[in-house]
Amino acid sequence: MALKRIYKEGLKLGEGPLWDYRTQQLFFVDILDKKLYIYDYQDQSFEQHIFNEYISCVALTADLDKILISLESGLYEFELSTASKTLICQPEHRNNYRYNDGAVSPWGTWLIGSMNNLNNGDNGPLLPDASLYELKDGDAKTLLDGVIISNGIAFEGTLIYFIDSELNSVRQFEYRDGKLEDETLIFQFEGIGSLDGMCLSKSRKLYIANWGGNQIIIFDLNRKEIIDYINLPSKNPTSCTFGGPEMNELFISSSAHQDDLEGAAGLYCLKIDDEGSEEFIWNA
């Protein structure tokens, strides 16, 4: 299957694609448009929910009618059938912050990073004043301080791979008992643009969205090097995830920010010769 644009309207800041293997649906958001989208793989339809504040990412729960969402005002449980939300907690108490990328761990905790809306952006000072949080048992605590733009998160056993886009690197930590330890630099990117969201395949390859680079970078953890690229029409891919009935389709979100190719930003899908794992479920 060639690269296919499955959501053909431009996304201002598409983010957070997340595949639910139980329902064969894909969740994704447009942060700046404050919208949550649900793509049904079987009938190729789209459902959307509109909020009055930025929404950045989604997590799966054991209840098929409920997901977790991150809004500026906190972390919520969202009931799909009624479009009602219930606040779980608000770990980020500072003004003018929002959440960005997040992922559920093998232990059912939800890790989610914040970012400062005032500092970040094309002309922002990009100060290391945000955090990575862990949501567990209905409460959140800080796992990592000094974050600038919290982005890609992927898990492998007790290891977590983490991207801070301003550092333009992938770091590895041991994640045990609510702590991040043994920090190791895995990959420092020196190319055009910056590293954004990512996912991990069963063959130990990181698929990394290259904001500003028109591509997905494929980094082999076994060989510790870039082995390939997936070229995209959209200048700013933001994240990617595996999905489809055989978990061998890569879904890619993107942003229209400063993209000269009008209408290129959207949601893309590409069947590849690799396979991802099912998403972990949040353990309430």
Side-chain angles (χ1 to χ4, degrees), residues 31-73:
I31 296 175
L32 297 183
D33 251 357
K34 305 173 184 177
K35 292 180 180 178
L36 165 68
Y37 294 91
I38 307 170
Y39 170 64
D40 188 288
Y41 187 89
Q42 298 302 325
D43 63 22
Q44 299 183 23
S45 64
F46 291 89
E47 174 187 341
Q48 69 176 27
H49 297 272
I50 303 174
F51 299 87
N52 60 5
E53 54 185 318
Y54 293 144
I55 175 172
S56 68
C57 69
V58 173
L60 303 180
T61 75
D63 187 337
L64 295 180
D65 191 39
K66 294 179 181 178
I67 57 173
L68 301 187
I69 59 172
S70 61
L71 300 175
E72 290 176 278
S73 58

Coordinates of all heavy atoms in Angstrom, one line a residue, residues 31-73:
I31 N -4.6 19.9 18.2 CA -4.4 20.7 19.4 C -5.0 22.1 19.3 O -5.8 22.6 20.1 CB -3.0 20.7 19.9 CG1 -2.5 19.3 20.2 CG2 -2.8 21.7 21.1 CD1 -1.0 19.2 20.5
L32 N -4.6 22.8 18.2 CA -5.0 24.2 18.1 C -6.4 24.4 17.7 O -7.1 25.4 18.1 CB -4.1 24.9 17.0 CG -2.6 25.0 17.3 CD1 -1.9 25.7 16.2 CD2 -2.4 25.6 18.7
D33 N -7.0 23.4 17.1 CA -8.5 23.4 16.8 C -9.3 22.9 17.9 O -10.5 22.9 17.8 CB -8.8 22.7 15.5 CG -9.1 23.6 14.3 OD1 -9.2 24.8 14.6 OD2 -9.3 23.1 13.2
K34 N -8.6 22.4 19.0 CA -9.3 21.9 20.2 C -10.3 20.7 19.8 O -11.4 20.7 20.4 CB -10.0 23.0 20.9 CG -9.1 24.2 21.2 CD -9.9 25.4 21.8 CE -8.9 26.5 22.0 NZ -9.6 27.8 22.5
K35 N -9.9 19.8 19.0 CA -10.7 18.7 18.5 C -10.1 17.4 18.8 O -8.9 17.2 18.6 CB -11.0 18.9 17.0 CG -11.9 20.1 16.7 CD -12.1 20.2 15.2 CE -13.0 21.3 14.8 NZ -13.2 21.4 13.3
L36 N -11.0 16.5 19.1 CA -10.6 15.0 19.2 C -11.3 14.3 18.0 O -12.5 14.5 17.8 CB -11.1 14.4 20.5 CG -11.2 12.9 20.6 CD1 -9.8 12.3 20.6 CD2 -12.0 12.5 21.8
Y37 N -10.6 13.5 17.3 CA -11.1 12.8 16.1 C -11.1 11.3 16.4 O -10.1 10.8 17.1 CB -10.3 13.0 14.9 CG -10.4 14.5 14.4 CD1 -9.5 15.4 14.8 CD2 -11.4 14.8 13.5 CE1 -9.5 16.7 14.3 CE2 -11.5 16.1 13.0 CZ -10.5 17.1 13.4 OH -10.6 18.4 12.9
I38 N -12.1 10.6 15.9 CA -12.1 9.1 16.0 C -12.3 8.6 14.6 O -13.3 8.8 14.0 CB -13.2 8.6 17.0 CG1 -13.0 9.3 18.4 CG2 -13.1 7.1 17.1 CD1 -14.2 9.0 19.3
Y39 N -11.3 7.8 14.1 CA -11.4 7.2 12.8 C -11.8 5.8 12.9 O -11.1 5.0 13.6 CB -10.1 7.4 12.1 CG -9.9 6.6 10.8 CD1 -10.7 6.9 9.7 CD2 -9.0 5.6 10.7 CE1 -10.6 6.2 8.5 CE2 -8.8 4.9 9.5 CZ -9.6 5.2 8.4 OH -9.5 4.5 7.2
D40 N -12.9 5.4 12.2 CA -13.3 4.0 12.2 C -12.7 3.3 11.0 O -13.0 3.7 9.9 CB -14.8 3.9 12.2 CG -15.4 2.5 12.3 OD1 -15.2 1.7 11.4 OD2 -15.9 2.2 13.4
Y41 N -11.9 2.3 11.3 CA -11.1 1.7 10.2 C -12.0 0.9 9.2 O -11.7 0.9 8.0 CB -10.1 0.7 10.8 CG -9.1 0.1 9.8 CD1 -7.9 0.7 9.5 CD2 -9.4 -1.2 9.2 CE1 -7.0 0.1 8.6 CE2 -8.5 -1.7 8.3 CZ -7.3 -1.1 8.0 OH -6.4 -1.7 7.2
Q42 N -13.1 0.3 9.7 CA -13.9 -0.5 8.9 C -14.7 0.3 7.9 O -14.8 0.0 6.7 CB -14.8 -1.4 9.7 CG -14.1 -2.3 10.6 CD -13.2 -3.3 9.9 OE1 -13.5 -3.7 8.8 NE2 -12.1 -3.7 10.5
D43 N -15.4 1.3 8.4 CA -16.3 2.1 7.5 C -15.6 3.4 7.0 O -16.2 4.2 6.3 CB -17.6 2.4 8.0 CG -17.6 3.2 9.3 OD1 -16.6 3.9 9.6 OD2 -18.6 3.1 10.1
Q44 N -14.4 3.7 7.5 CA -13.6 4.8 7.1 C -14.3 6.2 7.4 O -14.2 7.1 6.6 CB -13.2 4.8 5.6 CG -12.4 3.5 5.3 CD -12.0 3.5 3.8 OE1 -11.9 4.5 3.1 NE2 -11.7 2.3 3.3
S45 N -15.0 6.2 8.5 CA -15.7 7.4 8.9 C -15.0 8.1 10.0 O -14.1 7.5 10.7 CB -17.1 7.1 9.4 OG -17.1 6.2 10.5
F46 N -15.3 9.4 10.2 CA -14.7 10.2 11.3 C -15.8 10.8 12.2 O -16.8 11.3 11.7 CB -13.9 11.3 10.7 CG -12.6 10.9 9.9 CD1 -12.7 10.6 8.6 CD2 -11.4 10.8 10.6 CE1 -11.5 10.2 7.9 CE2 -10.3 10.4 9.9 CZ -10.3 10.1 8.6
E47 N -15.5 10.6 13.5 CA -16.3 11.3 14.5 C -15.5 12.3 15.2 O -14.2 12.2 15.3 CB -16.8 10.2 15.5 CG -17.5 10.7 16.7 CD -17.8 9.7 17.7 OE1 -17.7 8.5 17.4 OE2 -18.1 10.0 18.9
Q48 N -16.0 13.4 15.6 CA -15.2 14.4 16.3 C -15.9 15.0 17.5 O -17.2 15.1 17.5 CB -14.9 15.6 15.3 CG -16.0 16.5 14.9 CD -15.4 17.6 14.0 OE1 -14.4 17.5 13.3 NE2 -16.2 18.7 14.0
H49 N -15.1 15.4 18.5 CA -15.6 16.1 19.7 C -14.8 17.4 19.8 O -13.6 17.4 19.6 CB -15.4 15.2 20.9 CG -16.1 13.9 20.9 ND1 -17.4 13.8 21.3 CD2 -15.8 12.7 20.4 CE1 -17.8 12.6 21.2 NE2 -16.9 11.9 20.6
I50 N -15.5 18.5 20.1 CA -14.9 19.8 20.2 C -14.9 20.3 21.6 O -15.9 20.1 22.3 CB -15.7 20.8 19.3 CG1 -15.7 20.3 17.8 CG2 -15.0 22.2 19.4 CD1 -16.6 21.2 16.9
F51 N -13.7 20.8 22.0 CA -13.6 21.3 23.4 C -13.4 22.8 23.4 O -13.1 23.4 22.3 CB -12.4 20.6 24.1 CG -12.6 19.1 24.1 CD1 -12.2 18.2 23.1 CD2 -13.2 18.5 25.3 CE1 -12.4 16.9 23.1 CE2 -13.4 17.1 25.3 CZ -13.0 16.3 24.3
N52 N -13.4 23.4 24.6 CA -13.1 24.8 24.7 C -11.7 25.2 25.2 O -11.5 26.3 25.6 CB -14.2 25.5 25.6 CG -14.2 24.9 27.0 OD1 -13.3 24.1 27.3 ND2 -15.1 25.4 27.8
E53 N -10.9 24.2 25.1 CA -9.5 24.4 25.5 C -8.6 23.3 24.7 O -9.1 22.4 24.1 CB -9.3 24.2 27.0 CG -9.8 22.9 27.5 CD -9.7 22.8 29.0 OE1 -8.7 23.2 29.6 OE2 -10.7 22.3 29.7
Y54 N -7.3 23.5 24.7 CA -6.4 22.6 24.0 C -6.5 21.2 24.5 O -6.5 21.0 25.7 CB -5.0 23.1 24.1 CG -4.7 24.4 23.4 CD1 -3.7 25.3 24.0 CD2 -5.3 24.7 22.2 CE1 -3.4 26.5 23.3 CE2 -5.0 25.9 21.6 CZ -4.1 26.8 22.2 OH -3.8 28.0 21.5
I55 N -6.6 20.2 23.6 CA -6.5 18.8 23.9 C -5.3 18.3 23.2 O -5.1 18.6 22.0 CB -7.8 18.1 23.5 CG1 -7.6 16.5 23.7 CG2 -8.2 18.4 22.0 CD1 -8.9 15.7 23.5
S56 N -4.5 17.5 23.9 CA -3.2 17.1 23.3 C -3.0 15.6 23.1 O -2.3 15.2 22.2 CB -2.0 17.6 24.1 OG -2.0 17.0 25.4
C57 N -3.6 14.8 24.0 CA -3.4 13.3 23.8 C -4.5 12.5 24.5 O -5.3 13.0 25.2 CB -2.0 12.9 24.2 SG -1.7 13.0 26.0
V58 N -4.4 11.2 24.2 CA -5.5 10.3 24.6 C -4.8 9.0 25.2 O -3.7 8.6 24.7 CB -6.4 9.9 23.4 CG1 -7.4 8.8 23.7 CG2 -7.1 11.1 22.8
A59 N -5.5 8.4 26.1 CA -5.1 7.1 26.6 C -6.3 6.1 26.7 O -7.4 6.6 26.9 CB -4.4 7.2 28.0
L60 N -6.0 4.8 26.5 CA -7.1 3.8 26.5 C -7.4 3.4 27.9 O -6.4 3.3 28.8 CB -6.7 2.6 25.6 CG -6.4 2.9 24.2 CD1 -6.0 1.6 23.5 CD2 -7.5 3.6 23.5
T61 N -8.6 3.0 28.2 CA -9.0 2.5 29.5 C -9.7 1.1 29.2 O -10.0 0.7 28.1 CB -10.0 3.4 30.3 OG1 -11.3 3.3 29.7 CG2 -9.5 4.8 30.3
A62 N -9.9 0.4 30.3 CA -10.6 -0.9 30.2 C -12.0 -0.8 29.6 O -12.5 -1.8 29.0 CB -10.5 -1.7 31.5
D63 N -12.6 0.3 29.9 CA -14.0 0.5 29.4 C -13.9 1.1 28.0 O -13.4 2.2 27.8 CB -14.7 1.5 30.4 CG -16.2 1.7 30.1 OD1 -16.6 1.5 29.0 OD2 -16.9 2.2 31.0
L64 N -14.5 0.4 27.1 CA -14.5 0.8 25.7 C -15.2 2.2 25.4 O -14.9 2.8 24.4 CB -15.1 -0.2 24.7 CG -14.4 -1.6 24.7 CD1 -15.1 -2.5 23.7 CD2 -12.9 -1.4 24.2
D65 N -16.0 2.6 26.3 CA -16.8 3.8 26.2 C -16.0 5.0 26.9 O -16.5 6.1 26.8 CB -18.2 3.7 26.8 CG -19.1 4.9 26.4 OD1 -19.0 5.4 25.2 OD2 -19.8 5.3 27.3
K66 N -14.9 4.7 27.4 CA -14.2 5.8 28.1 C -12.7 5.8 27.7 O -12.1 4.8 27.6 CB -14.3 5.6 29.7 CG -15.7 5.8 30.2 CD -15.7 5.5 31.7 CE -17.2 5.7 32.2 NZ -17.3 5.4 33.7
I67 N -12.2 7.0 27.6 CA -10.8 7.2 27.3 C -10.3 8.3 28.3 O -11.1 8.9 29.0 CB -10.5 7.7 25.9 CG1 -11.3 9.0 25.6 CG2 -10.8 6.6 24.9 CD1 -10.9 9.6 24.2
L68 N -9.0 8.4 28.4 CA -8.4 9.5 29.1 C -8.0 10.6 28.1 O -7.5 10.3 27.0 CB -7.1 9.1 29.9 CG -7.3 8.0 31.0 CD1 -6.0 7.8 31.8 CD2 -8.5 8.3 31.9
I69 N -8.2 11.9 28.5 CA -7.7 13.0 27.6 C -7.0 14.0 28.5 O -7.2 14.1 29.7 CB -8.9 13.6 26.9 CG1 -9.9 14.2 27.9 CG2 -9.6 12.7 25.9 CD1 -11.0 15.0 27.3
S70 N -6.1 14.7 27.9 CA -5.4 15.8 28.5 C -5.9 17.1 28.0 O -5.8 17.4 26.8 CB -3.9 15.7 28.4 OG -3.5 15.7 27.0
L71 N -6.4 17.9 28.8 CA -6.8 19.3 28.5 C -5.9 20.3 29.3 O -5.2 19.9 30.2 CB -8.3 19.5 28.8 CG -9.3 18.6 28.1 CD1 -10.7 18.9 28.7 CD2 -9.3 18.8 26.6
E72 N -6.0 21.5 29.0 CA -5.2 22.5 29.7 C -5.5 22.5 31.2 O -4.7 22.8 32.0 CB -5.4 23.9 29.1 CG -4.8 24.1 27.7 CD -5.1 25.5 27.2 OE1 -6.2 25.6 26.6 OE2 -4.3 26.4 27.3
S73 N -6.8 22.3 31.5 CA -7.3 22.4 32.8 C -7.0 21.1 33.6 O -7.4 21.1 34.8 CB -8.8 22.7 32.9 OG -9.5 21.7 32.1

